[in-house]
Amino acid sequence: RQRYVEKDGKCNVQHGNVRETYRYLTDIFTTLVDLQWRFSLLVFILAYALTWLFFGLIWWFIAYCRGDLDHLEDHAWTPCVNNLNGFVSAFLFSIETETTIGYGHRVITDKCPEGIVLLLLQAILGSMVNAFMVGCMFVKISQPNKRAETLVFSTHAVVSLRDDRLCLMFRVGDLRDSHIVEASIRAKLIKSKQTQEGEFIPLDQTDLSVGFETGDDRLFLVSPLIISHEIDERSPFWDVSRQQLEKDDFEIVVILEGMVEAT
Protein backbone atom coordinates (compact mmCIF):
# COMPACT_ATOMS: atom_id res chain seq x y z
CA ARG A 1 0.00 0.00 0.00
CA GLN A 2 1.30 3.42 -0.94
CA ARG A 3 1.96 5.57 2.10
CA TYR A 4 1.51 9.31 2.55
CA VAL A 5 4.40 9.47 5.03
CA GLU A 6 7.09 6.77 5.05
CA LYS A 7 8.21 5.01 8.21
CA ASP A 8 11.42 7.06 8.30
CA GLY A 9 9.40 10.30 8.32
CA LYS A 10 9.85 11.28 4.66
CA CYS A 11 6.73 12.61 2.98
CA ASN A 12 5.90 10.56 -0.10
CA VAL A 13 4.84 13.59 -2.13
CA GLN A 14 6.33 14.87 -5.37
CA HIS A 15 5.63 18.40 -6.58
CA GLY A 16 4.64 18.69 -10.20
CA ASN A 17 3.69 21.52 -12.56
CA VAL A 18 5.58 24.11 -10.51
CA ARG A 19 5.66 27.22 -12.67
CA GLU A 20 7.06 30.03 -10.55
CA THR A 21 10.41 28.35 -9.91
CA TYR A 22 12.05 31.74 -9.35
CA ARG A 23 10.56 31.71 -5.86
CA TYR A 24 13.20 29.13 -4.87
CA LEU A 25 15.92 31.63 -5.74
CA THR A 26 14.33 34.38 -3.64
CA ASP A 27 15.02 32.17 -0.60
CA ILE A 28 18.39 30.89 -1.78
CA PHE A 29 19.61 30.01 1.72
CA THR A 30 16.79 27.53 2.39
CA THR A 31 17.09 26.19 -1.15
CA LEU A 32 20.77 25.38 -0.63
CA VAL A 33 20.05 23.76 2.73
CA ASP A 34 17.34 21.57 1.17
CA LEU A 35 19.63 20.37 -1.64
CA GLN A 36 21.13 16.91 -1.57
CA TRP A 37 24.62 16.64 -0.14
CA ARG A 38 26.38 16.18 -3.48
CA PHE A 39 24.79 19.35 -4.89
CA SER A 40 25.48 21.29 -1.69
CA LEU A 41 29.16 20.35 -1.84
CA LEU A 42 29.27 21.30 -5.52
CA VAL A 43 27.80 24.74 -4.76
CA PHE A 44 30.20 25.10 -1.81
CA ILE A 45 33.23 24.40 -4.02
CA LEU A 46 32.01 26.57 -6.90
CA ALA A 47 31.25 29.52 -4.64
CA TYR A 48 34.87 29.72 -3.53
CA ALA A 49 36.51 28.66 -6.80
CA LEU A 50 34.55 31.16 -8.91
CA THR A 51 35.24 34.09 -6.58
CA TRP A 52 38.96 33.22 -6.50
CA LEU A 53 38.99 32.93 -10.28
CA PHE A 54 37.01 36.15 -10.78
CA PHE A 55 39.21 38.29 -8.57
CA GLY A 56 42.34 36.58 -9.89
CA LEU A 57 41.32 37.68 -13.37
CA ILE A 58 40.84 41.26 -12.15
CA TRP A 59 44.26 41.28 -10.42
CA TRP A 60 45.85 40.05 -13.63
CA PHE A 61 43.93 42.65 -15.68
CA ILE A 62 45.14 45.47 -13.40
CA ALA A 63 48.74 44.28 -13.74
CA TYR A 64 48.34 44.03 -17.51
CA CYS A 65 46.83 47.52 -17.87
CA ARG A 66 49.49 49.12 -15.66
CA GLY A 67 52.29 47.46 -17.64
CA ASP A 68 53.59 45.46 -14.67
CA LEU A 69 53.95 42.36 -16.83
CA ASP A 70 56.27 44.26 -19.20
CA HIS A 71 58.61 45.32 -16.35
CA LEU A 72 59.16 42.02 -14.57
CA GLU A 73 62.95 42.38 -14.58
CA ASP A 74 62.94 46.13 -13.94
CA HIS A 75 63.75 46.56 -10.26
CA ALA A 76 63.17 50.31 -10.46
CA TRP A 77 59.52 49.74 -11.43
CA THR A 78 56.95 49.62 -8.64
CA PRO A 79 54.20 47.16 -9.60
CA CYS A 80 50.73 46.94 -8.14
CA VAL A 81 51.51 43.53 -6.64
CA ASN A 82 55.05 42.38 -6.09
CA ASN A 83 56.05 39.06 -7.70
CA LEU A 84 52.92 38.88 -9.84
CA ASN A 85 54.18 37.62 -13.21
CA GLY A 86 51.11 36.08 -14.84
CA PHE A 87 47.57 34.82 -14.45
CA VAL A 88 48.57 31.84 -12.28
CA SER A 89 50.35 34.06 -9.77
CA ALA A 90 47.38 36.47 -9.85
CA PHE A 91 45.06 33.55 -9.11
CA LEU A 92 47.25 32.48 -6.20
CA PHE A 93 47.32 36.05 -4.87
CA SER A 94 43.51 36.11 -5.06
CA ILE A 95 43.35 32.94 -2.95
CA GLU A 96 45.81 34.35 -0.41
CA THR A 97 43.83 37.61 -0.17
CA GLU A 98 40.39 36.04 0.29
CA THR A 99 41.52 33.32 2.68
CA THR A 100 43.88 35.71 4.57
CA ILE A 101 46.72 33.21 4.27
CA GLY A 102 49.46 35.78 3.65
CA TYR A 103 52.53 33.82 2.58
CA GLY A 104 54.42 37.11 2.18
CA HIS A 105 55.88 36.44 -1.29
CA ARG A 106 53.22 38.36 -3.21
CA VAL A 107 52.12 41.60 -1.59
CA ILE A 108 50.27 44.72 -2.73
CA THR A 109 52.17 48.02 -2.83
CA ASP A 110 51.00 51.50 -1.81
CA LYS A 111 51.43 52.86 -5.36
CA CYS A 112 48.27 51.17 -6.66
CA PRO A 113 45.02 52.84 -5.53
CA GLU A 114 42.86 50.62 -7.75
CA GLY A 115 44.48 47.59 -6.16
CA ILE A 116 43.71 48.91 -2.67
CA VAL A 117 40.04 49.34 -3.61
CA LEU A 118 39.94 45.84 -5.09
CA LEU A 119 41.59 44.45 -1.96
CA LEU A 120 38.86 45.98 0.20
CA LEU A 121 36.11 44.65 -2.06
CA GLN A 122 37.53 41.14 -2.09
CA ALA A 123 37.99 41.11 1.68
CA ILE A 124 34.38 42.19 2.23
CA LEU A 125 32.93 39.84 -0.39
CA GLY A 126 35.09 36.98 0.88
CA SER A 127 33.71 37.45 4.40
CA MET A 128 30.17 37.40 3.02
CA VAL A 129 30.84 34.19 1.07
CA ASN A 130 32.36 32.60 4.16
CA ALA A 131 29.41 33.55 6.35
CA PHE A 132 26.85 32.34 3.79
CA MET A 133 28.46 29.04 2.86
CA VAL A 134 29.61 28.09 6.37
CA GLY A 135 26.13 28.93 7.64
CA CYS A 136 24.59 26.64 5.01
CA MET A 137 26.92 23.80 5.91
CA PHE A 138 26.34 24.23 9.65
CA VAL A 139 22.56 24.20 9.27
CA LYS A 140 22.69 21.20 6.95
CA ILE A 141 24.96 19.23 9.31
CA SER A 142 22.84 20.06 12.36
CA GLN A 143 19.55 18.96 10.79
CA PRO A 144 17.66 16.56 13.08
CA ASN A 145 17.25 13.74 10.54
CA LYS A 146 19.84 11.49 12.16
CA ARG A 147 18.67 12.34 15.69
CA ALA A 148 15.28 10.94 14.76
CA GLU A 149 16.88 7.53 14.16
CA THR A 150 17.07 7.02 17.94
CA LEU A 151 13.38 7.81 18.45
CA VAL A 152 11.45 4.56 18.33
CA PHE A 153 7.73 4.11 17.76
CA SER A 154 5.89 0.86 18.39
CA THR A 155 5.46 -1.28 15.28
CA HIS A 156 1.70 -1.65 15.81
CA ALA A 157 -1.01 0.56 17.23
CA VAL A 158 -3.73 -1.18 19.25
CA VAL A 159 -7.33 -0.44 20.19
CA SER A 160 -8.14 -1.58 23.71
CA LEU A 161 -9.94 -0.65 26.89
CA ARG A 162 -8.12 1.61 29.33
CA ASP A 163 -9.85 2.76 32.49
CA ASP A 164 -13.06 1.43 30.95
CA ARG A 165 -12.61 3.69 27.93
CA LEU A 166 -11.92 2.54 24.39
CA CYS A 167 -8.56 3.96 23.31
CA LEU A 168 -6.22 3.87 20.35
CA MET A 169 -2.72 3.46 21.80
CA PHE A 170 0.88 3.31 20.62
CA ARG A 171 4.24 3.62 22.31
CA VAL A 172 7.19 5.96 21.79
CA GLY A 173 10.64 5.95 23.35
CA ASP A 174 14.02 7.64 23.11
CA LEU A 175 17.18 5.52 23.00
CA ARG A 176 19.60 8.31 23.90
CA ASP A 177 20.52 9.51 27.38
CA SER A 178 20.29 13.16 26.31
CA HIS A 179 16.74 14.35 26.82
CA ILE A 180 14.40 16.05 24.39
CA VAL A 181 13.29 19.31 25.95
CA GLU A 182 9.72 20.61 25.47
CA ALA A 183 8.71 17.41 23.69
CA SER A 184 5.19 17.45 22.33
CA ILE A 185 3.24 14.97 20.25
CA ARG A 186 0.25 15.21 17.95
CA ALA A 187 -1.50 12.88 15.56
CA LYS A 188 -3.22 13.41 12.22
CA LEU A 189 -5.72 11.16 10.46
CA ILE A 190 -5.15 11.19 6.69
CA LYS A 191 -8.25 9.94 4.91
CA SER A 192 -10.34 10.72 1.86
CA LYS A 193 -13.47 12.68 2.59
CA GLN A 194 -16.57 13.84 0.79
CA THR A 195 -18.27 16.98 2.08
CA GLN A 196 -22.00 17.52 2.37
CA GLU A 197 -21.83 19.64 -0.78
CA GLY A 198 -20.37 16.72 -2.74
CA GLU A 199 -16.74 17.93 -2.83
CA PHE A 200 -14.20 15.10 -2.72
CA ILE A 201 -11.07 15.79 -0.65
CA PRO A 202 -8.50 13.04 -1.36
CA LEU A 203 -6.10 13.75 1.54
CA ASP A 204 -8.15 15.34 4.28
CA GLN A 205 -6.33 15.88 7.59
CA THR A 206 -8.16 15.48 10.88
CA ASP A 207 -6.67 16.00 14.33
CA LEU A 208 -6.63 13.05 16.71
CA SER A 209 -6.67 14.21 20.30
CA VAL A 210 -3.77 12.73 22.25
CA GLY A 211 -4.22 14.86 25.37
CA PHE A 212 -4.23 18.46 24.18
CA GLU A 213 -7.01 19.43 26.60
CA THR A 214 -5.32 17.81 29.60
CA GLY A 215 -1.70 18.58 28.71
CA ASP A 216 -0.82 14.91 28.17
CA ASP A 217 0.56 15.80 24.75
CA ARG A 218 3.52 17.50 26.52
CA LEU A 219 5.90 14.61 27.11
CA PHE A 220 8.64 14.04 29.66
CA LEU A 221 10.35 11.50 27.43
CA VAL A 222 12.77 9.87 29.86
CA SER A 223 11.33 6.37 29.60
CA PRO A 224 9.04 4.89 26.91
CA LEU A 225 5.53 6.31 27.07
CA ILE A 226 2.16 5.04 25.88
CA ILE A 227 0.27 7.66 23.88
CA SER A 228 -3.50 7.27 24.01
CA HIS A 229 -6.31 8.63 21.86
CA GLU A 230 -9.69 8.19 23.47
CA ILE A 231 -12.37 7.09 21.02
CA ASP A 232 -15.33 9.20 22.14
CA GLU A 233 -18.04 11.19 20.39
CA ARG A 234 -15.45 13.69 19.07
CA SER A 235 -13.18 11.00 17.63
CA PRO A 236 -13.36 10.23 13.88
CA PHE A 237 -13.36 6.51 14.84
CA TRP A 238 -16.51 6.79 16.93
CA ASP A 239 -18.82 5.42 14.23
CA VAL A 240 -16.33 2.92 12.82
CA SER A 241 -16.77 -0.76 13.57
CA ARG A 242 -13.95 -3.25 13.91
CA GLN A 243 -14.78 -4.83 10.56
CA GLN A 244 -14.88 -1.42 8.85
CA LEU A 245 -11.63 -0.40 10.53
CA GLU A 246 -9.84 -3.32 8.90
CA LYS A 247 -11.15 -2.39 5.43
CA ASP A 248 -10.92 1.41 5.49
CA ASP A 249 -8.08 3.12 3.63
CA PHE A 250 -6.57 5.69 6.00
CA GLU A 251 -3.27 6.61 7.61
CA ILE A 252 -2.35 8.00 11.01
CA VAL A 253 0.67 10.30 11.06
CA VAL A 254 2.26 10.91 14.46
CA ILE A 255 4.50 13.98 14.84
CA LEU A 256 6.92 14.28 17.75
CA GLU A 257 8.58 17.68 18.18
CA GLY A 258 11.13 18.98 20.67
CA MET A 259 14.59 20.42 21.24
CA VAL A 260 17.66 18.30 21.81
CA GLU A 261 19.19 19.05 25.18
CA ALA A 262 22.79 18.75 23.99
CA THR A 263 22.46 21.19 21.09
Coordinates of all heavy atoms in Angstrom, one line a residue, residues 147-201:
R147 N 19.1 12.4 14.3 CA 18.7 12.3 15.7 C 17.4 11.6 15.8 O 17.1 10.8 16.8 CB 18.5 13.7 16.3 CG 18.0 13.8 17.7 CD 19.0 13.1 18.6 NE 18.6 13.2 20.0 CZ 17.8 12.3 20.6 NH1 17.3 11.3 20.0 NH2 17.5 12.4 21.9
A148 N 16.6 11.6 14.8 CA 15.3 10.9 14.8 C 15.5 9.4 14.7 O 14.5 8.7 15.0 CB 14.4 11.4 13.6
E149 N 16.7 9.0 14.3 CA 16.9 7.5 14.2 C 16.8 6.9 15.5 O 16.6 5.7 15.6 CB 18.2 7.3 13.5 CG 18.4 7.8 12.1 CD 17.5 7.0 11.1 OE1 17.2 5.8 11.4 OE2 17.1 7.6 10.1
T150 N 17.1 7.6 16.6 CA 17.1 7.0 17.9 C 15.7 7.2 18.6 O 15.6 7.0 19.8 CB 18.2 7.6 18.8 OG1 18.1 9.0 18.7 CG2 19.6 7.2 18.2
L151 N 14.7 7.8 17.9 CA 13.4 7.8 18.4 C 12.6 6.6 17.9 O 12.5 6.5 16.7 CB 12.7 9.1 18.0 CG 13.2 10.4 18.7 CD1 12.6 11.6 18.1 CD2 12.9 10.3 20.2
V152 N 12.0 5.8 18.7 CA 11.4 4.6 18.3 C 10.0 4.6 18.6 O 9.5 4.9 19.7 CB 12.1 3.4 19.1 CG1 11.5 2.1 18.6 CG2 13.6 3.4 18.8
F153 N 9.2 4.3 17.6 CA 7.7 4.1 17.8 C 7.4 2.6 17.7 O 8.1 1.8 17.1 CB 7.0 4.8 16.6 CG 7.0 6.3 16.7 CD1 8.1 7.0 16.2 CD2 6.0 7.0 17.3 CE1 8.1 8.4 16.2 CE2 6.0 8.4 17.4 CZ 7.1 9.1 16.9
S154 N 6.3 2.3 18.4 CA 5.9 0.9 18.4 C 5.5 0.5 17.0 O 5.0 1.3 16.2 CB 4.7 0.7 19.3 OG 3.7 1.6 19.0
T155 N 5.7 -0.8 16.6 CA 5.5 -1.3 15.3 C 4.0 -1.3 15.0 O 3.5 -1.0 13.9 CB 6.0 -2.7 15.1 OG1 7.4 -2.7 15.4 CG2 5.9 -3.2 13.7
H156 N 3.2 -1.6 16.0 CA 1.7 -1.6 15.8 C 1.0 -0.7 16.8 O 1.5 -0.5 17.9 CB 1.2 -3.1 16.0 CG 1.8 -4.1 15.1 ND1 1.5 -4.2 13.8 CD2 2.8 -5.0 15.4 CE1 2.2 -5.2 13.3 NE2 3.0 -5.7 14.2
A157 N -0.1 -0.2 16.3 CA -1.0 0.6 17.2 C -2.2 -0.4 17.6 O -2.6 -1.2 16.8 CB -1.5 1.8 16.6
V158 N -2.7 -0.3 18.8 CA -3.7 -1.2 19.3 C -4.9 -0.4 19.7 O -4.8 0.8 20.1 CB -3.2 -2.1 20.4 CG1 -2.1 -3.0 19.9 CG2 -2.8 -1.3 21.6
V159 N -6.1 -1.0 19.6 CA -7.3 -0.4 20.2 C -7.8 -1.3 21.3 O -8.0 -2.5 21.1 CB -8.4 -0.3 19.1 CG1 -9.7 0.2 19.8 CG2 -8.0 0.6 18.0
S160 N -7.8 -0.8 22.5 CA -8.1 -1.6 23.7 C -8.8 -0.7 24.8 O -8.8 0.5 24.7 CB -6.9 -2.2 24.3 OG -7.1 -3.0 25.4
L161 N -9.3 -1.4 25.8 CA -9.9 -0.6 26.9 C -8.9 -0.2 27.9 O -8.0 -0.9 28.2 CB -10.9 -1.5 27.6 CG -12.3 -1.8 26.9 CD1 -13.1 -2.8 27.7 CD2 -13.1 -0.5 26.7
R162 N -9.0 1.1 28.3 CA -8.1 1.6 29.3 C -9.0 2.5 30.3 O -9.5 3.5 29.8 CB -7.0 2.4 28.7 CG -5.8 2.7 29.6 CD -4.8 3.5 28.9 NE -3.5 3.3 29.4 CZ -2.4 4.1 29.2 NH1 -2.6 5.2 28.4 NH2 -1.3 3.8 29.7
D163 N -9.0 2.1 31.5 CA -9.9 2.8 32.5 C -11.3 2.8 32.0 O -12.0 3.8 32.1 CB -9.4 4.2 32.8 CG -8.0 4.2 33.5 OD1 -7.7 3.2 34.2 OD2 -7.3 5.2 33.3
D164 N -11.7 1.6 31.4 CA -13.1 1.4 31.0 C -13.4 2.4 29.8 O -14.6 2.7 29.6 CB -14.1 1.6 32.1 CG -15.4 0.9 31.8 OD1 -15.4 -0.1 31.0 OD2 -16.4 1.3 32.3
R165 N -12.4 2.8 29.1 CA -12.6 3.7 27.9 C -11.9 3.1 26.7 O -10.7 2.7 26.9 CB -12.1 5.1 28.2 CG -12.9 5.8 29.3 CD -12.3 7.2 29.6 NE -12.9 7.9 30.7 CZ -12.6 9.1 31.1 NH1 -11.5 9.7 30.6 NH2 -13.2 9.6 32.1
L166 N -12.5 3.1 25.6 CA -11.9 2.5 24.4 C -10.9 3.5 23.9 O -11.2 4.7 23.6 CB -13.0 2.3 23.3 CG -12.6 1.3 22.2 CD1 -12.3 -0.1 22.8 CD2 -13.7 1.2 21.2
C167 N -9.7 3.1 23.7 CA -8.6 4.0 23.3 C -7.7 3.3 22.2 O -7.5 2.1 22.1 CB -7.6 4.3 24.5 SG -8.5 5.1 25.9
L168 N -7.2 4.2 21.3 CA -6.2 3.9 20.3 C -4.9 4.2 21.0 O -4.6 5.4 21.3 CB -6.5 4.6 19.0 CG -5.3 4.6 18.0 CD1 -5.2 3.1 17.4 CD2 -5.6 5.6 16.9
M169 N -4.0 3.2 21.1 CA -2.7 3.5 21.8 C -1.5 3.0 21.0 O -1.6 2.0 20.2 CB -2.8 2.7 23.1 CG -3.8 3.2 24.1 SD -3.9 2.2 25.6 CE -4.6 0.7 25.0
F170 N -0.4 3.7 21.2 CA 0.9 3.3 20.6 C 1.9 3.8 21.6 O 1.7 4.6 22.5 CB 1.1 3.9 19.2 CG 1.0 5.4 19.2 CD1 2.1 6.2 19.3 CD2 -0.2 6.0 18.9 CE1 2.0 7.6 19.3 CE2 -0.3 7.4 18.9 CZ 0.8 8.2 19.1
R171 N 3.2 3.3 21.4 CA 4.2 3.6 22.3 C 5.4 4.3 21.6 O 5.7 4.1 20.4 CB 4.8 2.3 22.9 CG 5.4 2.5 24.3 CD 5.8 1.2 24.9 NE 6.1 1.2 26.3 CZ 6.8 0.3 27.0 NH1 7.1 -0.8 26.4 NH2 7.1 0.5 28.3
V172 N 6.1 5.2 22.3 CA 7.2 6.0 21.8 C 8.3 6.0 22.9 O 8.0 6.1 24.1 CB 6.8 7.4 21.3 CG1 6.2 8.2 22.5 CG2 7.9 8.1 20.7
G173 N 9.5 5.9 22.4 CA 10.6 5.9 23.4 C 11.9 6.6 22.7 O 12.0 6.6 21.5
D174 N 12.8 7.0 23.6 CA 14.0 7.6 23.1 C 15.2 6.8 23.6 O 15.3 6.5 24.8 CB 14.1 9.1 23.7 CG 15.3 9.8 23.1 OD1 16.0 9.3 22.2 OD2 15.6 11.0 23.5
L175 N 16.1 6.4 22.7 CA 17.2 5.5 23.0 C 18.4 6.3 23.6 O 19.2 5.6 24.3 CB 17.7 4.8 21.7 CG 16.6 3.9 21.0 CD1 17.2 3.2 19.8 CD2 16.0 2.8 22.0
R176 N 18.5 7.6 23.4 CA 19.6 8.3 23.9 C 19.4 8.7 25.4 O 18.3 8.9 25.8 CB 19.8 9.5 23.0 CG 20.4 9.2 21.6 CD 20.8 10.5 20.9 NE 21.4 10.2 19.6 CZ 22.7 9.9 19.4 NH1 23.5 9.8 20.4 NH2 23.1 9.7 18.2
D177 N 20.6 9.0 26.0 CA 20.5 9.5 27.4 C 20.2 11.0 27.4 O 19.6 11.5 28.4 CB 21.9 9.3 28.1 CG 22.1 7.8 28.3 OD1 21.1 7.0 28.4 OD2 23.3 7.4 28.3
S178 N 20.6 11.7 26.4 CA 20.3 13.2 26.3 C 18.8 13.3 26.1 O 18.2 12.7 25.2 CB 21.1 13.8 25.2 OG 20.8 13.2 23.9
H179 N 18.2 14.2 26.9 CA 16.7 14.3 26.8 C 16.3 15.3 25.7 O 17.1 16.1 25.2 CB 16.2 14.9 28.2 CG 16.5 14.0 29.3 ND1 16.6 14.4 30.6 CD2 16.9 12.6 29.3 CE1 16.9 13.4 31.4 NE2 17.1 12.3 30.7
I180 N 15.0 15.1 25.3 CA 14.4 16.1 24.4 C 13.6 17.0 25.2 O 12.6 16.6 25.9 CB 13.5 15.3 23.4 CG1 14.4 14.4 22.5 CG2 12.8 16.3 22.5 CD1 13.7 13.7 21.4
V181 N 13.9 18.3 25.1 CA 13.3 19.3 26.0 C 12.0 19.8 25.2 O 12.0 19.9 24.0 CB 14.2 20.5 26.2 CG1 13.6 21.5 27.1 CG2 15.6 20.0 26.8
E182 N 11.0 20.1 26.0 CA 9.7 20.6 25.5 C 9.2 19.7 24.4 O 8.7 20.1 23.4 CB 9.9 22.0 24.9 CG 10.2 23.1 25.9 CD 9.1 23.4 26.8 OE1 7.9 23.2 26.4 OE2 9.3 23.8 28.0
A183 N 9.2 18.4 24.7 CA 8.7 17.4 23.7 C 7.2 17.5 23.7 O 6.5 17.5 24.7 CB 9.2 16.0 24.1
S184 N 6.6 17.5 22.5 CA 5.2 17.4 22.3 C 4.8 16.5 21.2 O 5.7 16.3 20.3 CB 4.6 18.8 22.0 OG 5.2 19.3 20.8
I185 N 3.7 16.0 21.2 CA 3.2 15.0 20.3 C 1.8 15.3 19.8 O 1.0 15.8 20.5 CB 3.3 13.5 20.8 CG1 3.3 12.5 19.7 CG2 2.2 13.3 21.9 CD1 3.7 11.1 20.2
R186 N 1.6 15.0 18.5 CA 0.3 15.2 17.9 C 0.1 14.2 16.9 O 1.0 13.6 16.3 CB 0.0 16.6 17.4 CG 1.1 17.1 16.4 CD 1.0 18.6 16.2 NE 2.1 19.1 15.4 CZ 2.0 19.4 14.1 NH1 0.8 19.3 13.5 NH2 3.0 19.9 13.4
A187 N -1.2 13.9 16.5 CA -1.5 12.9 15.6 C -2.5 13.4 14.6 O -3.4 14.2 14.9 CB -2.1 11.6 16.3
K188 N -2.3 13.0 13.3 CA -3.2 13.4 12.2 C -3.8 12.2 11.5 O -3.1 11.2 11.3 CB -2.5 14.3 11.2 CG -2.0 15.6 11.7 CD -3.2 16.6 11.6 CE -2.7 18.0 11.9 NZ -3.8 19.0 11.8
L189 N -5.1 12.2 11.2 CA -5.7 11.2 10.5 C -5.8 11.6 9.0 O -6.4 12.7 8.7 CB -7.1 10.9 11.0 CG -8.0 9.9 10.2 CD1 -7.3 8.5 10.2 CD2 -9.4 9.8 10.7
I190 N -5.1 10.9 8.1 CA -5.1 11.2 6.7 C -6.1 10.2 6.0 O -5.9 9.0 6.0 CB -3.7 11.0 6.1 CG1 -2.7 11.8 6.9 CG2 -3.7 11.6 4.6 CD1 -2.9 13.3 7.0
K191 N -7.2 10.8 5.5 CA -8.2 9.9 4.9 C -9.0 10.7 3.9 O -9.2 11.9 4.1 CB -9.2 9.4 6.0 CG -10.2 8.4 5.6 CD -11.1 8.0 6.7 CE -12.2 7.0 6.3 NZ -13.0 6.6 7.4
S192 N -9.5 10.1 2.9 CA -10.3 10.7 1.9 C -11.7 11.1 2.5 O -12.2 10.4 3.3 CB -10.5 9.8 0.6 OG -9.3 9.5 0.0
K193 N -12.2 12.2 2.0 CA -13.5 12.7 2.6 C -14.3 13.3 1.5 O -13.8 13.9 0.6 CB -13.1 13.7 3.7 CG -14.4 14.4 4.3 CD -13.9 15.5 5.3 CE -15.1 16.2 5.8 NZ -14.7 17.3 6.8
Q194 N -15.6 13.2 1.7 CA -16.6 13.8 0.8 C -17.5 14.7 1.6 O -18.1 14.3 2.6 CB -17.4 12.8 0.0 CG -18.3 13.5 -1.1 CD -18.9 12.5 -2.0 OE1 -18.7 11.3 -1.8 NE2 -19.5 13.0 -3.1
T195 N -17.5 16.0 1.3 CA -18.3 17.0 2.1 C -19.8 16.8 1.8 O -20.2 16.1 0.9 CB -17.8 18.4 1.8 OG1 -18.1 18.7 0.4 CG2 -16.3 18.6 2.0
Q196 N -20.5 17.5 2.6 CA -22.0 17.5 2.4 C -22.4 18.2 1.0 O -23.5 17.8 0.5 CB -22.7 18.3 3.5 CG -22.5 17.6 4.9 CD -23.1 18.4 6.0 OE1 -23.8 19.4 5.8 NE2 -23.0 17.9 7.2
E197 N -21.5 19.0 0.5 CA -21.8 19.6 -0.8 C -21.4 18.8 -2.0 O -21.6 19.2 -3.1 CB -21.1 21.0 -0.9 CG -21.6 22.1 0.1 CD -21.1 21.9 1.5 OE1 -20.1 21.1 1.6 OE2 -21.7 22.5 2.4
G198 N -20.8 17.6 -1.7 CA -20.4 16.7 -2.7 C -18.9 16.9 -3.2 O -18.5 16.2 -4.1
E199 N -18.2 17.8 -2.5 CA -16.7 17.9 -2.8 C -15.9 16.8 -2.3 O -16.1 16.4 -1.1 CB -16.2 19.3 -2.3 CG -14.8 19.5 -2.6 CD -14.2 20.7 -1.8 OE1 -15.0 21.4 -1.1 OE2 -13.0 21.1 -2.0
F200 N -15.1 16.2 -3.1 CA -14.2 15.1 -2.7 C -12.8 15.6 -2.4 O -12.2 16.3 -3.2 CB -14.1 14.1 -3.8 CG -13.2 12.9 -3.5 CD1 -13.6 11.9 -2.6 CD2 -11.9 12.8 -4.0 CE1 -12.8 10.8 -2.3 CE2 -11.1 11.7 -3.7 CZ -11.6 10.7 -2.8
I201 N -12.4 15.4 -1.1 CA -11.1 15.8 -0.6 C -10.2 14.5 -0.5 O -10.5 13.7 0.4 CB -11.2 16.5 0.7 CG1 -12.1 17.7 0.6 CG2 -9.8 17.0 1.2 CD1 -12.3 18.5 1.9

